[in-house]
Amino acid sequence: MRPGVLWLIAGLSLSIAGCAATQPETNQPPPLSEASFNSRILELESQLAQQCTVHSDQQARQLDQQQVLTADIREVGSLLRSLRQNVQQLEARGAEPVIIREECEVDETLSTKTLLGRSEWVGLPSLGTYLKARVDSGANTSSLSAAEITRFERDGEDWVRFKLALNDDDVAVESQRDEWVEAPIVRRVRILQASGEESRPVISLLMTLGPIRENVEFTLNDRSHLEYPVLLGRRFLMDIAVIDVADTYLHDRPEFPGGEPADQAAEDEAVDEDDTEE
């Protein structure tokens, strides 16, 4: 065979091989089986049913809201028409509007109690003097200003001896300022202070205040640094008195031998510019 023919055959062989090598590959999916097809159809049907259910629920809620809104609009319209009619009736009558006042129930027990101001005169017959008192429902036990407090025993019982602790501005019967007072101790109370615990004796004294005449328990301690030598607490107030904190000296000053007349108490009351005690 001629050499030229051989070269021609070799070239054709290489061309055919190159075409076979460059032919593109096809990536076709595998054929879908009947079971897979049915499963896919069921999945699509389920998704479509769920979407239909959600859409139906939304439509139902919107319908309910629309019905509620319609009812509210009708009610407001009815109220406006009624209000318009009432206004027209009032304008036609030309009358003043009627004001209805609700009557408050009054506690009948208050009528049996004595009304006190935040400051009052008290009388202590066993001490023979009158004193100014601060009425304070925040305090439990009443208190009397005392100094030189001495405990002693008499007939097997505890007694106490003291003098009134008064400063120069305190109003009292002058002859009784430095007199010794003796009284039995009815009990003792513990007072908690920043400096520690303190025990104070408690005595019972007859006290007058306006129409009130009662035995009152007083703790004894020095109140000379305070505005009032007497403090009346809620144990005294209970069941017999109420306080009007906006007023003072609602009752006359009691009179004692050696003291000033009751009608001259106004000057002593006027000096109470600030009756706040700390």
Side-chain angles (χ1 to χ4, degrees), residues 16-170:
I16 293 171
C19 292
T22 58
Q23 185 177 1
E25 296 181 357
T26 58
N27 294 325
Q28 295 182 354
L32 188 64
S33 65
E34 182 178 356
S36 299
F37 177 78
N38 292 334
S39 175
R40 181 58 178 164
I41 291 298
L42 291 175
E43 182 180 352
L44 293 174
E45 289 178 349
S46 176
Q47 293 177 356
L48 182 60
Q50 291 178 357
Q51 292 178 358
C52 290
T53 301
V54 172
H55 183 65
S56 298
D57 292 342
Q58 291 178 348
Q59 285 184 332
R61 286 196 296 269
Q62 290 177 355
L63 181 60
D64 291 341
Q65 293 175 355
Q66 183 178 1
Q67 291 176 349
V68 171
L69 182 60
T70 302
D72 291 342
I73 292 174
R74 290 176 179 174
E75 183 178 359
V76 171
S78 177
L79 292 174
L80 288 175
R81 287 191 295 272
S82 177
L83 180 61
R84 188 180 297 109
Q85 291 176 358
N86 292 336
V87 172
Q88 291 174 352
Q89 291 175 0
L90 289 174
E91 291 178 348
R93 288 188 303 179
E96 293 292 332
V98 178
I99 301 176
I100 301 176
R101 293 182 174 86
E102 183 179 358
E103 295 184 359
C104 299
E105 295 184 1
V106 179
D107 189 352
E108 295 182 357
T109 59
L110 295 178
S111 61
T112 63
K113 296 183 179 181
T114 302
L115 182 63
L116 305 179
R118 65 179 183 272
S119 304
E120 291 288 354
W121 290 104
V122 298
L124 299 172
S126 59
L127 276 63
T129 186
Y130 43 73
L131 294 171
K132 286 183 178 180
R134 169 74 170 179
V135 185
D136 185 3
S137 61
N140 183 29
T141 307
S142 301
S143 180
L144 176 65
S145 185
E148 301 183 49
I149 302 171
T150 305
R151 175 184 171 277
F152 66 97
E153 186 174 316
R154 175 178 292 172
D155 298 331
E157 296 182 353
D158 291 333
W159 280 59
V160 67
R161 180 184 296 111
F162 64 94
K163 290 183 178 181
L164 291 175
L166 304 176
N167 56 48
D168 294 338
D169 295 331
D170 288 330

Side-chain angles (χ1 to χ4, degrees), residues 3 53 68 121 165 187 205 220 231 238-239 248 260:
T53 301
V68 171
W121 290 104
R187 60 189 179 93
L205 295 176
L220 299 179
L231 175 71
M238 191 178 302
D239 300 329
T248 58
E260 298 293 335

Side-chain angles (χ1 to χ4, degrees), residues 252-269:
D252 293 337
R253 182 172 67 186
E255 295 185 347
F256 287 92
E260 298 293 335
D263 56 8
Q264 296 182 9
E267 295 181 3
D268 297 325
E269 297 168 2

Side-chain angles (χ1 to χ4, degrees), residues 156-223:
E157 296 182 353
D158 291 333
W159 280 59
V160 67
R161 180 184 296 111
F162 64 94
K163 290 183 178 181
L164 291 175
L166 304 176
N167 56 48
D168 294 338
D169 295 331
D170 288 330
V171 181
V173 176
E174 290 298 324
S175 60
Q176 302 301 314
R177 282 181 173 269
D178 295 324
E179 290 295 315
W180 285 100
V181 181
E182 295 181 351
I185 299 175
V186 296
R187 60 189 179 93
R188 302 187 72 89
V189 295
R190 292 187 303 172
I191 306 297
L192 297 178
Q193 297 179 330
S195 58
E197 185 177 285
E198 178 184 356
S199 177
R200 295 177 182 174
V202 179
I203 64 173
S204 178
L205 295 176
L206 178 64
M207 189 196 77
T208 62
L209 196 172
I212 299 174
R213 187 179 179 88
E214 294 282 339
N215 286 314
V216 181
E217 290 188 352
F218 293 94
T219 61
L220 299 179
N221 65 295
D222 192 344
R223 296 176 51 86

